[in-house]
């Protein structure tokens, strides 16, 4: 009798647990920043479960949750520039799954690890190689903004076809081989030396030109002075400086007063 009673109690407990399980199973909670992919007997459905509580049919339906929040992926890639220099690039990519297309990306690719390994990493590496090959090593430095813009556009287009939106991409670090660095440094030194030599040559030319101008000015001043010393002008200057005493010239003939015109003629000669 007691044995039968125990079996009845066990059966009731099992039945209660089954009822509780059945009662709880039809409900699924989709957390904030997630979307639920609804499947019926393993087949992906068009309906996408938003955030919140949802009722499903036990056994028939299952739900796979995917995050639609912004994800950050850091990728290092090696490429060759247009002038065949080795370029090493570190990229930081911010991306997220397009919420309205989570069922498609899960059906075609899978969960987040598969999305990163099978889609994002290969796409970024391939696009970096393609874009960097369009620029010389020097242009990659001087046109970094243009390079980033082209990489951003290409990656956005590629990942968009896989239901992934690109929020931002940053070329965190771009560096070259040690050999190229030494070549760049040598080129900069040569350019500095050339500019210095050009400056010295220009300075010498300016100084020579200044000396020629000074000499030309002195010659022109002397010519003007010489042409301006007429007998009348010399006589006028002599009169202005005369103290009133006329010098006498004593010769074979009788003494005579100094003739200004003869003085001027002698001076002109």
């Amino acid at each position: 009798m007691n044995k039968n009673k125990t079996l009845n109690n066990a059966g009731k407990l099992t039945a209660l647990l089954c009822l509780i399980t059945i009662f709880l199973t039809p409900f699924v909670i989709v957390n904030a920043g997630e979307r639920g992919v609804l499947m019926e007997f393993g087949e992906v459905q068009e309906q996408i479960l938003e955030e919140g509580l949802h009722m499903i049919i036990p056994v028939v339906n299952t739900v796979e949750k995917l995050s639609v929040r912004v994800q950050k992926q850091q990728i290092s890639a090696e490429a060759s520039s247009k002038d065949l220099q080795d370029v090493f690039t570190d990229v930081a990519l911010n991306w997220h799954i397009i919420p309205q297309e989570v069922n498609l990306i899960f059906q075609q690719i899978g969960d987040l690890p598969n999305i990163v390994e099978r889609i994002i990493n290969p796409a970024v590496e391939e696009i970096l190689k393609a874009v960097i090959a369009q620029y010389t090593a020097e242009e990659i430095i001087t046109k970094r903004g243009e390079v980033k813009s082209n990489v951003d556009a290409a990656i956005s287009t590629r990942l968009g076809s896989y239901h992934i939106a690109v929020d931002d991409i940053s070329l965190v670090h771009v560096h070259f081989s040690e050999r190229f660095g030494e070549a760049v440094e040598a080129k900069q030194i040569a350019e500095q030396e050339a500019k210095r030599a050009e400056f010295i040559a220009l300075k010498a030319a300016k100084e020579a030109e200044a000396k020629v101008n000074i000499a030309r000015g002195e010659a022109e001043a002397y010519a003007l002075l010489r042409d301006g010393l007429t007998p009348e002008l010399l006589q006028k200057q002599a009169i202005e400086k005369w103290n009133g005493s006329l010098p006498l010239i004593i010769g074979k003939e009788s003494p005579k007063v100094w003739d200004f015109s003869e003085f001027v003629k002698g001076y002109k000669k």
Side-chain angles (χ1 to χ4, degrees):
M1 187 72 177
N2 290 333
K3 185 177 180 180
N4 292 333
K5 187 177 181 180
T6 302
L7 290 174
N8 289 333
N9 290 335
K12 291 178 180 178
L13 179 60
T14 302
L16 179 61
L17 291 175
C18 289
L19 288 173
I20 293 173
T21 302
I22 293 173
F23 178 76
L24 293 177
T25 301
F27 296 96
V28 64
I29 297 176
V30 178
N31 297 318
E34 293 180 338
R35 293 295 184 274
V37 178
L38 181 64
M39 290 175 284
E40 184 175 313
F41 295 114
E43 182 181 358
V44 175
Q45 303 298 299
E46 292 184 1
Q47 181 185 359
I48 296 173
L49 304 183
E50 302 284 340
E51 300 171 359
L53 181 66
H54 300 274
M55 180 179 292
I56 61 174
I57 302 173
V59 182
V60 176
N61 295 132
T62 55
V63 176
E64 182 70 26
K65 302 174 186 177
L66 290 180
S67 174
V68 293
R69 289 176 175 172
V70 175
Q71 310 288 327
K72 182 178 181 181
Q73 186 70 18
Q74 292 188 335
I75 304 164
S76 297
E78 180 180 352
S80 295
S81 63
K82 188 176 181 179
D83 52 352
L84 302 180
Q85 296 293 336
D86 293 330
V87 184
F88 305 91
T89 310
D90 296 328
V91 176
L93 175 67
N94 291 336
W95 60 275
H96 70 273
I97 297 173
I98 299 174
Q100 299 84 357
E101 301 176 13
V102 289
N103 55 343
L104 298 176
I105 195 171
F106 181 77
Q107 185 180 45
Q108 297 171 6
I109 302 167
D111 56 10
L112 288 180
N114 283 326
I115 293 170
V116 171
E117 295 299 325
R118 294 171 54 190
I119 301 300
I120 292 179
N121 287 350
V124 172
E125 291 177 8
E126 181 182 347
I127 288 169
L128 278 173
K129 290 180 180 180
V131 173
I132 287 177
Q134 301 174 15
Y135 297 88
T136 64
E138 186 175 353
E139 289 173 339
I140 291 172
I141 298 173
T142 58
K143 300 180 180 180
R144 183 163 178 164
E146 181 179 324
V147 174
K148 175 187 178 300
S149 178
N150 290 341
V151 170
D152 195 347
I155 290 179
S156 297
T157 301
R158 172 73 67 84
L159 296 185
S161 63
Y162 291 102
H163 320 290
I164 298 170
V166 174
D167 297 287
D168 184 45
I169 183 170
S170 300
L171 302 181
V172 179
H173 190 47
V174 179
H175 56 103
F176 305 88
S177 64
E178 184 177 350
R179 179 170 55 86
F180 176 75
E182 293 173 353
V184 170
E185 183 178 359
K187 180 181 178 181
Q188 290 176 341
I189 293 174
E191 289 177 350
Q192 290 175 356
E193 291 295 332
K195 289 181 179 179
R196 183 172 180 272
E198 182 181 354
F199 172 75
I200 293 174
L202 181 61
K203 181 180 179 182
K206 291 294 184 182
E207 290 177 350
E209 183 180 354
K211 290 179 180 180
V212 170
N213 290 335
I214 292 174
R216 184 183 294 114
E218 291 178 348
E220 291 176 354
Y222 176 76
L224 289 174
L225 179 62
R226 183 191 61 192
D227 295 341
L229 290 176
T230 61
E232 291 78 8
L233 178 60
L234 292 174
Q235 188 172 12
K236 179 176 180 298
Q237 291 179 349
I239 292 172
E240 289 175 351
K241 295 182 179 181
W242 180 42
N243 58 4
S245 300
L246 291 176
L248 295 177
I249 298 177
I250 308 295
K252 294 181 180 180
E253 299 179 0
S254 59
K256 63 179 180 178
V257 178
W258 193 357
D259 191 346
F260 284 106
S261 62
E262 292 181 1
F263 171 74
V264 170
K265 290 179 181 178
Y267 181 85
K268 293 284 284 184
K269 293 179 182 179

